[in-house]
Amino acid sequence: AQSVAQPEDQVNVAEGNPLTVKCTYSVSGNPYLFWYVQYPNRGLQFLLKYITGDNLVKGSYGFEAEFNKSQTSFHLKKPSALVSDSALYFCAVRVPANDYKLSFGAGTTVTVRA
Amino acid sequence: KAGVTQTPRYLIKTRGQQVTLSCSPISGHRSVSWYQQTPGQGLQFLFEYFSETQRNKGNFPGRFSGRQFSNSRSEMNVSTLELGDSALYLCASKAGGEVSPLHFGNGTRLTVT
């Protein structure tokens, strides 16, 4: 079975400081990994994905994520957080040939204080 | 391009009733998935449709059903509503292929009283 864990329910940072949201996964096979963000009363928005190739992927709004196969992690990062980055972040994993289902982590609430 | 549209945005129903939620995917997207989001269980996969066929199904009781029409629009139905069915129901579409990201609608907030 495939699963993804987000070990932190909440992350609090000051505006201008680096932001990291952690994600680890457990799958049989090579994973496709995704990050999504959800603002209040809205659906999820796609940020970035890792399929293959370069371990560092860049996405929307200045976010990037690093795939680490040995640590089975896919942490989301932003060098300088903005107040507007405050939202709920989800990591998700899909394993090829595993019925196309996308499994989501529990989510991490990010609060960026001014 | 218009995004994924879900109707209605809010719905209040009574236990025992049934409800139908609607989703219009992004034009050209043939895959539509449904997810249930609750504070306690997070995001849980309900089912996925592709070209009018159910391609995958999550672990939900038979009271939850769905369908997809020839224009890729999708509906999900919940019969005999229970209090625990109160949730945000999210629909997502994608262009196709395993690597395509999901594009989500803003959801339908269902409250069962």
Side-chain angles (χ1 to χ4, degrees):
Chain A
Q2 61 190 45
S3 67
V4 59
Q6 294 180 241
E8 299 164 318
D9 291 337
Q10 291 198 357
V11 169
N12 298 305
V13 298
E15 188 172 35
N17 282 2
L19 169 63
T20 298
V21 187
K22 296 179 180 177
C23 172
T24 60
Y25 63 90
S26 174
V27 301
S28 300
N30 295 317
Y32 295 160
L33 293 154
F34 302 80
W35 275 102
Y36 289 84
V37 61
Q38 185 178 32
Y39 297 99
N41 298 315
R42 304 294 296 274
L44 279 68
Q45 295 179 29
F46 168 72
L47 282 177
L48 50 79
K49 65 182 178 184
Y50 171 81
I51 304 303
T52 187
D54 194 351
N55 290 341
L56 184 65
V57 293
K58 295 187 183 297
S60 306
Y61 313 119
F63 284 95
E64 58 188 30
E66 186 166 12
F67 173 67
N68 188 316
K69 188 171 184 177
S70 63
Q71 297 186 4
T72 61
S73 67
F74 188 56
H75 301 331
L76 181 70
K77 299 180 181 182
K78 187 170 184 179
S80 179
L82 301 172
V83 172
S84 57
D85 293 328
S86 299
L88 182 57
Y89 290 79
F90 290 96
C91 182
V93 64
R94 173 186 290 141
V95 177
N98 188 14
D99 296 329
Y100 304 99
K101 186 172 67 176
L102 197 60
S103 296
F104 285 87
T108 298
T109 299
V110 170
T111 301
V112 182
R113 59 185 184 277
Chain B
K1 253 185 190 179
V4 177
T5 304
Q6 290 187 247
T7 56
R9 283 298 310 273
Y10 301 93
L11 208 47
I12 300 175
K13 290 287 187 179
T14 305
R15 268 185 305 174
Q17 288 186 316
Q18 73 156 14
V19 66
T20 298
L21 311 182
S22 180
C23 172
S24 293
I26 292 173
S27 178
H29 287 192
R30 295 164 63 190
S31 167
V32 173
S33 300
W34 288 89
Y35 287 81
Q36 181 196 64
Q37 185 178 20
T38 59
Q41 299 297 318
L43 280 160
Q44 292 191 289
F45 173 76
L46 281 156
F47 26 65
E48 181 196 7
Y49 287 87
F50 183 83
S51 293
E52 302 180 66
T53 300
Q54 187 180 85
R55 188 156 69 171
N56 204 356
K57 190 178 188 305
N59 296 322
F60 277 82
R63 299 185 297 108
F64 291 81
S65 63
R67 59 177 175 168
Q68 187 180 31
F69 302 95
S70 58
N71 62 358
S72 293
R73 192 177 70 84
S74 177
E75 289 181 347
M76 68 164 280
N77 184 279
V78 188
S79 62
T80 320
L81 283 166
E82 300 177 359
L83 295 179
D85 296 334
S86 295
L88 180 66
Y89 290 88
L90 293 165
C91 169
S93 71
K94 70 185 182 78
E98 296 169 327
V99 303
S100 299
L102 294 174
H103 297 266
F104 284 83
N106 287 329
T108 294
R109 173 76 62 185
L110 172 64
T111 302
V112 182
T113 62

